[in-house]
Amino acid sequence: HPRVWMGLLLWSVLSQAQAAWTVNMTPGATEVSRTVFDLHMTIFWICVVIGVIVFGAMFWSMIIHRRSTGQQPAHFHESTTVEILWTVVPFVILVLMAIPATKTLIDIYDTSESGLDVQITGYQWKWHYKYLGQDVEFFSNLATPSEQIHNKAPKDEHYLLEVDQPLVVPVGTKVRFLITAADVIHSWWVPALAVKKDAIPGFVNESWTRIEKPGLYRGQCTELCGKDHGFMPIVVEAKSQEDFAKWLAARKEETAKLKELTDKEWTLDELVARGDKVYHTSCAACHQPEGQGMPPMFPALKGSKIATGPKADHLNIVFHGKPGTSMAAFGKQLSEVDIAAVITYERNAWGNNTGDMVTPKE
Ligand code: CUA
């Protein structure tokens, strides 16, 4: 029958379109995400069946039955049987759908017995991850992605979804997330994990996941949070338990070293001496050993506005680079101690000996 064939054709086109565009939810990478996906599909098909029965009966009565018999619709005012039926049947269907949904919700809210606790804080426009009780914390992005846009070639679009440092978690471990925000409301969403929680200042939302396979899982901020809301990517990297332990140990060591340097009471001379080394390793190639530069390509730093003007401008250029020039952002390449050191060095070597010091904590 042609109508059957048309239906089948439409069905095949639609199902292929949905596969190509991934219009549907993802089954995800965890037990919870698969349960959520199955629930979604079950409820979807229940709705399809109800829709087919209700609209089918309606159109059949209105068109086919009426045309073939010529009968007028029956006129009656009330019917206890019909009223009981249309109350009880939907009630039973709703209860049947609510039972597995409630079970899943209870599961999602049960954050007890976690193997790792991570505090996630939303900032305009990056994420901060803190491994509770582990003394490890970092930002997902050093410069916000919109700041990076100005420092990168416009053709390279994938960096918009990249982070400097993903959230690293072990597989096969229940990881509890404590989600909050420092400025406005954000939302932490990773579809493959079926985790989506608002990050609200002054309030902690909880969630959890247990990832089965190592890999990268991507997400985005999903609460309109200001001009760069669209550039607040999330990357979760799941590592095997051994690899995670190694990563955590390395990260702890790095944090401890950095903390020691940051907490140190630097004297001006010490910081200038360190900055001297950093300058000659990272800056001298373009700006020359004595800060004389190679104008017009590489400006001289000696006696320049940069070395004598506000410290904040100077810091900003070293941190974020300079748009439209080959001055790279050193915010990722140098530690904050080294940035403080090199700026202190430049200001004191070529800023008319200002005795000006940038502390690592600035
Ligand atoms: Cu943060 Cu949208």
Side-chain angles (χ1 to χ4, degrees):
H1 198 284
R3 259 180 273 185
V4 175
W5 287 113
M6 284 300 285
L8 279 174
L9 185 68
L10 186 68
W11 175 261
S12 114
V13 167
L14 283 178
S15 56
Q16 277 177 33
Q18 97 88 10
W21 302 332
T22 44
V23 175
N24 203 354
M25 282 178 77
T26 164
T30 67
E31 207 184 315
V32 167
S33 72
R34 281 192 300 273
T35 313
V36 171
F37 178 78
D38 290 345
L39 262 178
H40 160 74
M41 290 317 290
T42 309
I43 290 171
F44 172 76
W45 286 117
I46 290 176
C47 293
V48 167
V49 170
I50 293 173
V52 167
I53 292 174
V54 170
F55 284 98
M58 192 172 89
F59 286 115
W60 180 80
S61 313
M62 281 163 61
I63 301 166
I64 299 170
H65 180 70
R66 196 170 178 183
R67 206 180 273 164
S68 62
T69 63
Q71 277 176 4
Q72 289 298 308
H75 289 267
F76 56 88
H77 187 253
E78 57 196 51
S79 164
T80 313
T81 318
V82 169
E83 280 167 28
I84 288 175
L85 267 180
W86 79 38
T87 308
V88 171
V89 171
F91 180 78
V92 170
I93 294 172
L94 284 176
V95 168
L96 284 180
M97 295 197 299
I99 291 169
T102 310
K103 219 176 136 263
T104 309
L105 263 185
I106 290 172
D107 225 22
I108 289 174
Y109 277 90
D110 178 15
T111 55
S112 65
E113 287 168 34
S114 60
L116 176 70
D117 297 339
V118 182
Q119 183 189 304
I120 299 174
T121 310
Y123 283 78
Q124 283 173 317
W125 290 273
K126 53 193 169 189
W127 299 97
H128 183 260
Y129 300 118
K130 184 174 184 178
Y131 292 67
L132 299 180
Q134 307 286 347
D135 227 359
V136 168
E137 56 182 297
F138 51 83
F139 278 101
S140 62
N141 292 79
L142 268 155
T144 69
S146 74
E147 284 165 334
Q148 294 179 48
I149 292 167
H150 302 300
N151 295 321
K152 293 229 184 179
K155 272 184 193 162
D156 175 14
E157 277 168 5
H158 290 287
Y159 63 86
L160 294 179
L161 294 173
E162 290 305 336
V163 295
D164 297 326
Q165 173 65 64
L167 171 65
V168 180
V169 296
V171 295
T173 306
K174 184 166 183 176
V175 183
R176 179 166 70 134
F177 301 128
L178 297 141
I179 302 170
T180 186
D183 36 44
V184 300
I185 301 178
H186 305 267
S187 188
W188 200 81
W189 180 44
V190 181
L193 311 183
V195 174
K196 184 182 194 182
K197 279 277 174 198
D198 276 4
I200 303 167
F203 189 82
V204 177
N205 265 328
E206 288 191 36
S207 193
W208 67 274
T209 193
R210 187 187 283 118
I211 302 176
E212 287 147 13
K213 273 194 249 154
L216 286 183
Y217 303 94
R218 293 176 184 278
Q220 270 275 16
C221 177
T222 29
E223 182 63 55
L224 185 59
C225 57
K227 101 177 148 61
D228 288 341
H229 158 68
F231 308 114
M232 232 180 124
I234 298 166
V235 179
V236 176
E237 184 179 1
K239 285 182 186 286
S240 71
Q241 304 206 346
E242 304 84 73
D243 287 352
F244 176 77
K246 270 187 225 154
W247 174 87
L248 192 67
R251 201 69 220 212
K252 272 184 189 171
E253 203 177 308
E254 209 176 292
T255 310
K257 261 191 216 157
L258 213 64
K259 194 170 183 312
E260 200 181 300
L261 286 175
T262 319
D263 288 351
K264 181 175 149 72
E265 295 280 337
W266 291 87
T267 66
L268 182 62
D269 289 343
E270 282 170 336
L271 209 55
V272 167
R274 190 181 179 97
D276 188 348
K277 276 192 204 138
V278 177
Y279 180 84
H280 287 96
T281 328
S282 302
C283 318
C286 297
H287 293 291
Q288 298 298 290
E290 294 307 316
Q292 63 269 49
M294 292 191 278
M297 276 298 274
F298 305 112
L301 298 171
K302 200 172 194 169
S304 71
K305 261 196 195 143
I306 289 300
T308 54
K311 274 194 287 191
D313 294 350
H314 200 161
L315 268 166
N316 193 31
I317 290 178
V318 176
F319 254 105
H320 303 306
K322 197 156 174 146
T325 74
S326 49
M327 174 66 194
F330 281 85
K332 280 180 231 171
Q333 296 160 47
L334 298 177
S335 69
E336 47 198 278
V337 173
D338 284 343
I339 286 180
V342 78
I343 290 169
T344 303
Y345 167 75
E346 288 172 16
R347 300 181 76 78
N348 282 275
W350 311 307
N352 308 324
N353 293 325
T354 53
D356 202 1
M357 181 157 155
V358 179
T359 72
K361 281 168 186 163
E362 266 178 89

